[in-house]
Amino acid sequence: MGRTTRRRPRAGRRTAAASIALILAGGGLIAVNSYAAAGEGQGPWPGGGTTQSGTLGAGPVPATVKCPEVANGLPEVPEAARAEVDRELATMDSGITEAYQRFAEEREQIERDPQFVQNAILGPLRSKREAGLDRIAEAIGRITGERPQDLRALAPCTLQTDGADEPGQDGGGEDDQNGGQDGGQDGGQDDQNGDGGQGGNGGQAGNGPEASDFADIRTVSPNVQEPPLLRGASRGTFTTDCGVNANGKFNPDNVIVAPGVSNGAHHMHDYVGNQANDAFASDDDLAAGATTCRDQGDRSTYYWPVLRLQNGAAEDDAQADGGGKDQNVGKILTPSQVTLDFVGNPRGKVTAMPRFLRIITGDAKAFVNGNANANASWSCTGFEDRQLKDKYPICPQGSKVVRSFKFQSCWDGRNADSANHRTHVAFTDASGRCPGGFVPVPQLVQRIVYDVPPPVFEGADAAVFALDSFPEQLHKPVTDHGDFINVFDEKLMRELVSCLNEGRRCGPGDPAQAPGGDGPEPKDAPATATAAPTGSPAPAPAAPAEQQPEAPARPDAPTADPAPAPADPYEPATPTASAAPATEEPAAERPPAEPAPETPDADRARPEAADAPAEPAAEPAAPDAPADRAAAPSPARSEPATASVRQSPKAPAGTETPAPPTAGGSNIPVPAGEAAPQAVEGGLAETGAQLWPSAAGAVLLIVGIALLRVRTRREGPRHR
């Protein structure tokens, strides 16, 4: 009996040990798999990690560094102190970029020690910003005799989660043009951090864009409205043709907000017009600079962030400031068309812009600043009555991506610039009225068209497009912005103002200056550019010039001229929602699908006609071919280092005709007549493959618990 008593407990202990081992093994498998799933896709960048294509995935972890916009909190900066203040602002922007890059590189350390980011990144950044703010206060105090107080309150920075505090989540609507005066500066200095790695896949080196940054344009309701034109409105349109930057003029400078600072924008800009523009260009340099504009009287500079295709191809700037060093990667896309129109005011006459007037529209830091100054508008040809502010558009087959800007059109009457580069100009209100103390000036309306394939987020051929941005702005579409410096000569500016106030349609060098006169016809416009879409009524002949005394509707809306209904199997273009004014011409006097808004020249190639989905093969060869501006010096000769970066203005082979639209940017075509949903990643098979360790662990855990229960039941009665 004694021997039996000794052996049974030993067997029971073995059973208990086996049960505990099974429980621990199963629990360990579950825990390890859960941890791996939580961290899956966490590439070298924060903000939820990367997908298969290397694009950023949404997640609850902090995504970027957020700092107060110092220019928004400064008092009036005297002219004598502006140069020093601008340099300090640029230095602080550079500090944010460096802090973000450190934050990205040290992600694993931050996950292990949450205090690391405060002690090693945000703390030192605050100290540098406090020193810079002290120098700004001293520079202002030397001139005014009164040192600004409490500027150090702008020093602390925080972390922002991707999606938190992100502006404009409604996916469209009119731009908020009457908000605060956030600086939105394109500032900064040379940055030597960052690896500029391409990664061989989609996404901006892993820090954007992500699938949720895209939306199918067909899911957006028409949302464009224009103020009515009152009696006495300046109804004319003046168009200037400055090409598409086919010669490859770009740099990461920003002469407006960071003069004298190389790489002041930390992203590349496209330039058309003035070719002398860099960080060190003075007004005299701009006045003497060559121009790509057809009329040599327009030496203005027009620039905006480049758009890139992230398909794994390295651009020439892959290891350069503003390019790969600032996490801007991929092939730079040449626009297929750039339209620059100046329009009038819906309530009255306009006055001339002062020469060297500087205007920034949009906010390069809107992702962290909020949308007070955001002015991004994204759409597709044939759908331009639908505008997106915080999403990139997914366009149907045959339709092209469109970026558009309406610049501020009210001037304070005194200053060509201001300390934050915003307060000297303003937008009109919804009725077209300027704020008190401001006068209406010609409004620049800029429209940039790209022939790009629909975004693809998965697989070896992953390819997405995104604009260049400050690294910490994660290439969000809401950060789109444009810059303009007026360098019209006085004679041409007088002609521009007269054209608008007299209700004419004009272009530089246009011989037809009578009311209703037509502008120059591009030499490269295809014969089919104005063909009516299949099934639509034949357009009536254009009325003679003397029968068209004024434009019937305000042409300053980049979206008010929808192309003819696209001949694609998905959905026809929706006409603009805004009602035509009472002065509109009879329908028989113009093509039915081509209303006068955004038609500065009745006989010139229509912007959408060249891009219309109904005629995908009728695209112009090169909108700024040398024949169009033979009088302009060839800027390419003055840019030997960058001219090789760009190729033909047309998209590379394989991208000229976009693939059918895809669901949420995936490579799955959308059936005819169905709207593509927003991006959804993953699938049942993929999920099962990722969760099998947890399933095995659960089985082991259950078996262990069962054995333990059996052993307990057997031993319990004996002990009692």
Side-chain angles (χ1 to χ4, degrees):
M1 179 66 73
R3 195 166 41 186
T4 302
T5 302
R6 287 193 298 272
R7 291 168 64 184
R8 282 178 180 168
R10 189 176 301 122
R13 284 194 294 272
R14 291 197 194 99
T15 302
S19 301
I20 293 171
L22 288 171
I23 292 171
L24 291 175
L29 274 175
I30 294 173
V32 169
N33 184 240
S34 298
Y35 179 82
E40 188 171 17
Q42 296 282 343
W45 297 91
T50 57
T51 64
Q52 289 180 358
S53 66
T55 58
L56 186 68
V61 298
T64 194
V65 176
K66 177 179 180 178
C67 299
E69 184 56 66
V70 172
N72 187 41
L74 292 179
E76 185 65 27
V77 179
E79 183 68 31
R82 282 189 187 174
E84 186 174 353
V85 169
D86 283 343
R87 285 194 297 271
E88 291 298 337
L89 292 173
T91 299
M92 280 189 272
D93 277 342
S94 182
I96 297 172
T97 294
E98 293 170 2
Y100 170 76
Q101 291 172 336
R102 176 91 187 272
F103 170 66
E105 294 165 357
E106 302 289 347
R107 182 186 58 81
E108 294 183 359
Q109 175 68 23
I110 293 169
E111 289 177 352
R112 291 193 299 268
D113 179 8
Q115 289 300 315
F116 177 83
V117 69
Q118 182 62 45
N119 297 333
I121 299 175
L122 296 183
L125 177 60
R126 175 174 180 166
S127 298
K128 292 179 182 178
R129 287 170 64 84
E130 287 176 344
L133 289 164
D134 289 343
R135 288 190 291 269
I136 288 175
E138 182 179 348
I140 296 174
R142 282 198 304 267
I143 306 301
T144 64
E146 183 176 354
R147 180 187 172 106
Q149 302 298 315
D150 302 325
L151 289 186
R152 282 195 168 202
L154 301 171
C157 299
T158 59
L159 299 183
Q160 177 173 310
T161 299
D162 191 1
D165 301 323
E166 187 173 357
Q169 293 297 334
D170 58 358
E174 289 297 294
D175 297 328
D176 182 356
Q177 299 174 342
N178 302 307
Q181 295 293 340
D182 289 355
Q185 313 292 330
D186 281 5
Q189 287 185 333
D190 290 347
D191 172 65
Q192 301 302 324
N193 298 330
D195 54 14
Q198 294 290 105
N201 49 34
Q204 291 270 16
N207 72 331
E210 61 185 36
S212 63
D213 289 327
F214 290 79
D216 191 320
I217 193 64
R218 295 167 297 165
T219 66
V220 180
S221 299
N223 52 26
V224 174
Q225 296 181 350
E226 293 300 325
L229 295 178
L230 303 184
R231 185 180 299 275
S234 43
R235 303 168 183 263
T237 304
F238 185 99
T239 300
T240 184
D241 181 0
C242 301
V244 297
N245 194 26
N247 54 293
K249 164 72 175 177
F250 10 67
N251 60 52
D253 298 344
N254 196 322
V255 70
I256 294 181
V257 301
V261 178
S262 297
N263 193 29
H266 290 276
H267 54 263
M268 286 293 177
H269 286 128
D270 264 318
Y271 290 87
V272 300
N274 201 295
Q275 298 295 286
N277 192 339
D278 60 25
F280 307 96
S282 65
D283 287 351
D284 290 341
D285 293 331
L286 295 175
T291 180
T292 63
C293 299
R294 291 173 63 181
D295 193 319
Q296 296 294 291
D298 180 10
R299 297 179 186 272
S300 302
T301 179
Y302 310 84
Y303 59 103
W304 54 84
V306 300
L307 196 72
R308 296 184 191 249
L309 182 66
Q310 287 86 56
N311 59 355
E315 189 59 277
D316 284 2
D317 64 355
Q319 301 298 326
D321 288 334
K325 283 189 175 181
D326 286 305
Q327 282 66 61
N328 294 299
V329 302
K331 177 178 177 56
I332 295 176
L333 298 170
T334 303
S336 62
Q337 186 180 49
V338 174
T339 304
L340 304 171
D341 291 335
F342 290 89
V343 301
N345 181 275
R347 301 182 65 90
K349 306 305 181 185
V350 296
T351 188
M353 294 178 176
R355 202 170 195 215
F356 305 115
L357 175 69
R358 286 155 162 79
I359 306 180
I360 301 172
T361 194
D363 186 354
K365 301 175 184 175
F367 178 55
V368 298
N369 280 349
N371 66 352
N373 288 303
N375 195 22
S377 289
W378 296 86
S379 191
C380 303
T381 54
F383 298 86
E384 293 184 56
D385 59 342
R386 316 174 188 195
Q387 292 290 317
L388 293 160
K389 174 184 290 188
D390 64 336
K391 304 287 182 185
Y392 294 114
I394 299 175
C395 299
Q397 182 177 13
S399 179
K400 298 182 181 181
V401 171
V402 181
R403 300 163 67 183
S404 53
F405 300 101
K406 294 192 292 184
F407 282 66
Q408 296 89 318
S409 59
C410 300
W411 172 49
D412 68 5
R414 300 182 307 276
N415 303 298
D417 199 3
S418 52
N420 64 0
H421 314 290
R422 294 187 185 275
T423 52
H424 64 297
V425 290
F427 287 98
T428 64
D429 63 17
S431 69
R433 190 190 308 273
C434 284
F438 285 76
V439 296
V441 294
Q443 181 180 45
L444 171 60
V445 179
Q446 185 170 281
R447 179 175 177 272
I448 312 166
V449 182
Y450 297 87
D451 190 0
V452 296
V456 178
F457 284 89
E458 296 185 14
D461 297 328
V464 294
F465 62 86
L467 57 81
D468 271 18
S469 76
F470 285 96
E472 71 277 4
Q473 299 301 312
L474 306 185
H475 308 280
K476 297 296 183 181
V478 74
T479 64
D480 204 6
H481 57 282
D483 299 73
F484 165 69
I485 303 176
N486 169 40
V487 198
F488 276 76
D489 64 32
E490 292 183 4
K491 179 178 181 292
L492 188 58
M493 178 56 66
R494 285 196 301 269
E495 292 178 5
L496 187 159
V497 171
S498 175
C499 176
L500 302 189
N501 288 339
E502 295 175 10
R504 294 182 279 121
R505 304 176 194 160
C506 315
D510 183 5
Q513 292 295 323
D518 299 330
E521 180 177 353
K523 297 179 177 62
D524 57 358
T528 60
T530 57
T534 304
S536 65
E546 62 271 12
Q547 297 180 14
Q548 300 179 11
E550 60 188 19
R554 190 178 184 213
D556 64 346
T559 64
D561 184 17
D568 71 276
Y570 306 100
E571 182 180 326
T574 304
T576 181
S578 58
T583 58
E584 186 172 354
E585 299 171 16
E589 295 182 353
R590 56 183 180 150
E594 298 177 348
E598 202 172 321
T599 315
D601 308 307
D603 293 337
R604 61 177 284 154
R606 303 287 306 171
E608 280 83 16
D611 304 326
E615 299 284 4
E619 180 185 350
D624 71 339
D628 277 3
R629 44 186 170 84
S634 175
R637 289 193 296 271
S638 63
E639 295 290 334
T642 59
S644 62
V645 175
R646 303 296 286 275
Q647 300 174 4
S648 167
K650 292 181 69 65
T655 65
E656 293 181 13
T657 302
T662 59
S666 69
N667 53 5
I668 304 174
V670 178
E674 295 186 11
Q678 301 239 355
V680 178
E681 298 182 5
L684 182 60
E686 180 183 4
T687 303
Q690 293 171 350
L691 295 182
W692 72 263
S694 290
V699 171
L700 293 175
L701 185 64
I702 292 170
V703 172
I705 293 173
L707 287 175
L708 189 62
R709 288 174 60 87
V710 169
R711 188 259 178 188
T712 302
R713 288 175 179 171
R714 288 179 176 176
E715 295 296 327
R718 293 189 181 92
H719 289 294
R720 287 196 300 269

